[in-house]
Amino acid sequence: MNLVLLLATFSLFIGVLSEEGLNPGIVNVGAIFSFNTINGKVAKVAMKAAEEDINSDPSVLGGRKLSIQLHDSNFSSFLGIIGALQFMETDTVAIIGPQSSEMAHVLSNLANELQVPLLSFTALDPSLSPLQYPFFVQTAPNDEFQMTAIAEMVSYFSWSEVIAIFSDDDQSRNGIITLGDKLAERRCRISYKAPLPPGPTAKRVDVLRELDKIQMMESRIIVLHSFSRTGLLVFEAAKSLGMMGKGYVWIASTWLSTVLDSFSPLKREIANSIQGALTLRPHTPDSKRKRNFMSRWNQLSNGSIGFNPYGLYAYDTVWMIARALRLLLDQGGKISFSNDSRLDGISGSTLNLSALNAFDGGKLLLSKILETNMTGLTGHVQFNQDRSLINPSYDIVNAVGNGQRLVGYWSNHTGLSIVPPETLYSEKPNRSSSNQHLDKVVWPGGETARPRGWVFPNNGRELRIGIPRRVSYRDFVLLVNGTDKVQGYCIDVFLAAIKLLPHAFPYRFIPFGDGHKNPSYYELVNKIKSGVFDGVVGDIAIVTNRTRIVDFSLPYIESGLVVVAPVKKISSSAWSFARPFTPLMWAVTAAFFLIVGSVVWILEHRRNDEFRGPPKQQFITILWFSFSTMFFSHRENTVSTLGRLVLIIWLFVVLIINSSYTASLTSFLTVQQLSSPIKGIDTLIGSNERIGFQVESFAEGYLMEELNIPKSRLVPLGSPEEYALALERRNVAAVIDERPYVDLFLSEHCEFSVRGQEFTKSGWGFAFPRDSPLAIDMSTAILSLSENGELQKIHDRWLSKSACSSENSEDDIEQLDLKSFWGLFVICGIACMLALLVYFWLMFRKFSRLPPEELDTTSPSTSRSTRLQTFLSFVDEKVEKPKSSSKRKRESMSRNGYHINDESPHRSGRMDRNMSQNGDSWLTQ
């Protein structure tokens, strides 16, 4: 808005003030209110009380006097603007007000130009941005916090939709916009907005028109954001329409708490019309100063108006200005004004725009106001970086009887609580749902149980529930011929669920389909979006493209696509014991028995008598030892360290193989085995075989779009009989369908079986319009049916009549092959190889240390074959066990002359050599 044009228009109505040379000892502060309103009356009393208290203490303004000039805007923005212009002519340092946000948007532009701070505790529109209006300051919590509190109350009581009734002015309209944003953050929403004429212009007929519309809607949660005159008119009209009875919830903004506080006791007609309503009151902590001020109230107001918290904010706002002025003066600032040169050129015979002065110290005073840090009647007063008061909080009040009842608090620190907010500020914020608490509320109609918050629209009109007219698998949804009766598994679940809803559920089933083929389920669900149906009940799979247009309840049965293919039974035979392992596995296992037996024989042969003897006996020993390890019953002991190491590893391998064989053989002998070349969906994807699917099933789209199977390979089938015929004639290699259909199909066709696992995960649910509360309620009912076992009983009644169990349709148990055990064999083979390498290295080292004369290899003509033969003889040679200490003692005594036996030099050398060998034999023991 162009400032010059604004001033030129309104200055026609401004008289020229002849007062010159105002008293420099007076500091002028203006106040613009509608003094015929509740808050206007309270503000007038409180501001004058603050003026008196400030002027009674000369130290506050350094001997100056504060003068609050009052201007009654009388609900008129026009008069409010005139009052502001008059204040600018009288060198006003600050203006308290205006009362409404609509006026604040206009006057803030004027305050910006003339640099006069504008402070308001009632114009609390969240859209009054400090960036756009830097000289406008809200000295009470703005409506963003109030709407956050209401949104958290709605979420706390588990409601999802509200109806907003509001006065169509800036403050109420922008408050409701903010409420919508706060509700959306909590996955709630405003389902309908009912604007009323602004200010006192709303008439009863306007209110009744909107309430008639609201009565026809689902939601029964109503938020009323207006002013006292309009708000009381709404409650009176709602009472006459029966909308203050059971099932309704009314949440009023702070205007209702001012009525409750300012007029106590209430008139009977007002009290009766607001019974059970909830409202918010700005929370001010208890203090001695607050109690003293409240005790003075009747004297200050002469009984003209009751006290409410906005009187405390009015009182603190005046003190806020006074303290800021004192800081300005203490820092050398001056209270001076200067003419705006831009106004000189538009003065005329009837205009005196030059009298409008800009406050030279306006910016400094504004900064001192924003730096306020004091304890007032409203508690600790301080602004944060967003220029909002710190720690905004509200009382939550319930209108009961002829008065009110406190049911809790809301604060920006911890949310909903039954503990006063100031006691929680020292603790860490905790906004978890478990930490949110309110006392019991008496709702409209005198109920204490939480209202549901919604009813069926249009005063109980029957809901149109669409059901598919199936021609196959009619156990799920069945229309009885010649009657309107509907049966089936899905229908029984639906009927059981609605019995758990705590309200009447008028409905009627409407069949969808021509009765000659199964209908398109996508078209059926889409009828909800187009308004033909209010819900759909049936075997409706919850898939992505459907969830985009409707809301589903929780699934009442699990579902998923599976593969069905022909199978042949594998009967037991005399050779069934060999089936757990593949032939390769048997061969490798047998080979390792021989390998390990041979390795242990090599490592034990020199020292262990049980591994010595004639060749035939040693070969039998190898076979016996190796195969007896399977039963841990080998009689031969191992004495070498390397032999024991190899045996331990081999026994571990045998343990795993034995356990796996036992478990697999048990499964083969106790579970009926079915054989088919198709192992699951992967087999079908990798082949060129034709695949059957149920007509109008989502399986067709899934196979083409997700698995890239060409449409030419897909064959539509309409009934279980067509499934069986197509599979028997090999027209299709397999059929893909949802698990519940397949279970019914297999109950009568045991020659087929499910192959592989389900390759999609979904379920069947009931479909309702987007954001319908009924989807949530039906989900809760389905959970209750599942918990009390009723859901399983319905399933057994309709779907558990199998002639042959579907358990026979499990995957055939695969044989165990080498790839499952190759790691164990590799470890065992490496252990054997390393043991042999260490053993032969030790043998070669001992052999190389023997004197040449002992080996008869001194002749140059000794061939390599002879030397190898000598080495093998050395390896095959028996090593005597170490002699005991007593025996060594006797030999020592013989050598000392006590007992001497003649020994040949060769024998003596062999004994010495054996003793040397025994000293290096720890690795072979």
Side-chain angles (χ1 to χ4, degrees), residues 263-518:
F263 301 102
S264 182
L266 294 173
K267 294 180 180 179
R268 175 177 295 181
E269 57 270 20
I270 295 177
N272 289 339
S273 66
I274 63 174
Q275 286 297 301
L278 288 175
T279 184
L280 299 177
R281 177 200 295 128
H283 176 73
T284 55
D286 186 35
S287 67
K288 183 178 181 180
R289 290 185 62 199
K290 175 183 172 181
R291 291 194 298 271
N292 291 338
F293 182 77
M294 293 174 63
S295 66
R296 295 169 53 196
W297 186 258
N298 286 335
Q299 179 184 357
L300 293 171
S301 64
N302 293 321
S304 61
I305 188 68
F307 173 82
N308 71 57
Y310 287 103
L312 303 178
Y313 284 103
Y315 185 90
D316 281 355
T317 299
V318 177
W319 271 95
M320 202 180 300
I321 296 173
R323 287 173 177 267
L325 283 170
R326 180 55 188 268
L327 290 174
L328 180 146
L329 295 172
D330 289 344
Q331 295 181 7
K334 296 182 179 181
I335 300 177
S336 61
F337 297 83
S338 59
N339 293 331
D340 192 332
S341 59
R342 292 174 296 175
L343 302 177
D344 294 340
I346 60 172
S347 59
S349 58
T350 59
L351 299 177
N352 190 23
L353 297 180
S354 60
L356 297 177
N357 296 322
F359 182 23
D360 297 329
K363 289 185 178 179
L364 183 58
L365 179 62
L366 175 65
S367 67
K368 298 305 176 185
I369 291 173
L370 295 176
E371 292 172 5
T372 297
N373 189 354
M374 71 178 194
T375 300
L377 299 184
T378 58
H380 185 58
V381 181
Q382 187 178 357
F383 294 95
N384 58 25
Q385 293 180 349
D386 297 329
R387 292 174 59 168
S388 298
L389 288 175
I390 63 171
N391 298 327
S393 57
Y394 294 90
D395 299 336
I396 301 175
V397 178
N398 187 197
V400 179
N402 201 31
Q404 55 184 289
R405 175 173 167 266
L406 183 67
V407 297
Y409 307 90
W410 177 90
S411 73
N412 200 39
H413 183 71
T414 55
L416 301 174
S417 172
I418 57 176
V419 180
E422 56 270 17
T423 64
L424 301 175
Y425 290 147
S426 59
E427 302 177 4
K428 291 183 178 179
N430 185 353
R431 304 300 289 270
S432 64
S433 58
S434 61
N435 199 52
Q436 306 298 293
H437 302 287
L438 289 177
D439 283 338
K440 285 190 176 296
V441 178
V442 178
W443 304 101
E447 294 290 320
T448 56
R450 179 189 70 87
R452 289 183 49 79
W454 71 279
V455 295
F456 293 105
N458 295 334
N459 290 327
R461 174 184 64 84
E462 288 184 337
L463 294 185
R464 297 158 299 181
I465 304 298
I467 58 172
R469 191 192 296 270
R470 294 197 60 90
V471 296
S472 63
Y473 293 114
R474 300 178 69 190
D475 290 310
F476 296 106
V477 179
L478 171 64
L479 278 74
V480 179
N481 293 332
T483 68
D484 295 332
K485 188 176 181 181
V486 183
Q487 298 176 344
Y489 168 72
C490 302
I491 301 301
D492 280 5
V493 173
F494 177 75
L495 296 178
I498 62 175
K499 290 180 181 178
L500 299 180
L501 300 181
H503 58 83
F505 191 148
Y507 67 91
R508 61 189 176 95
F509 291 124
I510 302 176
F512 177 78
D514 58 11
H516 301 292
K517 64 177 181 179
N518 291 334

Side-chain angles (χ1 to χ4, degrees), residues 769-832:
R770 295 299 297 270
D771 302 318
S772 171
L774 195 55
I776 299 175
D777 289 331
M778 291 298 287
S779 297
T780 304
I782 290 170
L783 283 176
S784 299
L785 291 174
S786 177
E787 292 171 357
N788 62 26
E790 184 64 24
L791 197 61
Q792 185 62 42
K793 292 179 182 178
I794 298 173
H795 179 278
D796 294 342
R797 184 162 61 247
W798 284 98
L799 306 181
S800 296
K801 49 185 179 181
S802 304
C804 52
S805 174
S806 61
E807 292 180 358
N808 293 340
S809 302
E810 300 294 334
D811 292 341
D812 51 323
I813 302 173
E814 300 290 343
Q815 289 181 301
L816 300 174
D817 55 15
L818 184 60
K819 67 180 181 181
S820 301
F821 301 93
W822 70 269
L824 290 173
F825 287 126
V826 168
I827 293 173
C828 185
I830 292 174
C832 292

Side-chain angles (χ1 to χ4, degrees), residues 33-41 72 74-75 99 228-229:
F33 283 88
S34 295
F35 291 114
N36 196 31
T37 63
I38 296 175
N39 286 340
K41 294 177 181 179
D72 190 352
N74 196 24
F75 301 102
Q99 187 169 347
S228 57
R229 286 189 181 182

Side-chain angles (χ1 to χ4, degrees), residues 565-569 674-676 750-755 808:
V567 293
K568 63 178 182 179
K569 297 179 181 179
L674 306 175
S675 176
S676 171
C750 301
E751 66 274 22
F752 309 110
S753 173
V754 173
R755 311 305 297 165
N808 293 340

